[in-house]
Amino acid sequence: MSRSPRRAFTEEFKLQMVELHKNGKRRSDIIREYKLTPSSLNNWIKQYAETKSFKAADNRSEIENQLRIAEKELKQLRMENDILKQATLIMGRREK
């Protein structure tokens, strides 16, 4: 069974789907008519209700934001550590 290519939806389209639902159109009808996945529509409805935004950054919890910052810092520190290891190896070769 082959999968369909991943579709990208504009903010305007997502808002239209949320508005259809808010105006009384059933989820199942929207999903069938626009060939959406139930999880996509449910996420859009939830995101819009909570933050009025569909952007991932606007819908992250404080803990998720802190985790992303910590992951970036960890990546930077690992890179710096690798550079220092390489410098130590180079300096060690020069002293011989």
Side-chain angles (χ1 to χ4, degrees), residues 1-6:
M1 184 174 176
S2 69
R3 296 178 95 185
S4 303
R6 185 177 178 99

Side-chain angles (χ1 to χ4, degrees), residues 6-91:
R6 185 177 178 99
R7 294 167 46 193
F9 300 100
T10 64
E11 299 247 341
E12 293 80 18
F13 178 82
K14 293 175 185 180
L15 183 57
Q16 286 176 343
M17 297 303 106
V18 171
E19 290 297 327
L20 284 173
H21 178 262
K22 282 173 53 176
N23 290 329
K25 190 161 187 169
R26 293 181 356 181
R27 288 178 199 239
S28 59
D29 293 338
I30 297 169
I31 291 166
R32 185 175 46 258
E33 186 174 336
Y34 294 95
K35 296 180 176 69
L36 302 173
T37 61
S39 61
S40 292
L41 181 59
N42 291 338
N43 285 339
W44 299 340
I45 292 168
K46 179 183 174 202
Q47 289 170 343
Y48 194 76
E50 291 175 359
T51 64
K52 303 282 188 251
S53 174
F54 301 111
K55 295 179 180 152
D58 295 337
N59 287 291
R60 284 190 210 114
S61 70
E62 185 60 32
I63 291 173
E64 289 171 319
N65 286 330
Q66 290 174 357
L67 179 60
R68 290 177 67 86
I69 290 168
E71 287 170 342
K72 285 181 184 179
E73 289 175 356
L74 178 60
K75 183 178 179 182
Q76 178 70 27
L77 291 171
R78 283 182 173 158
M79 186 173 61
E80 290 172 5
N81 195 26
D82 288 342
I83 292 168
L84 290 172
K85 285 179 184 177
Q86 291 297 320
T88 302
L89 289 174
I90 292 169
M91 296 305 287

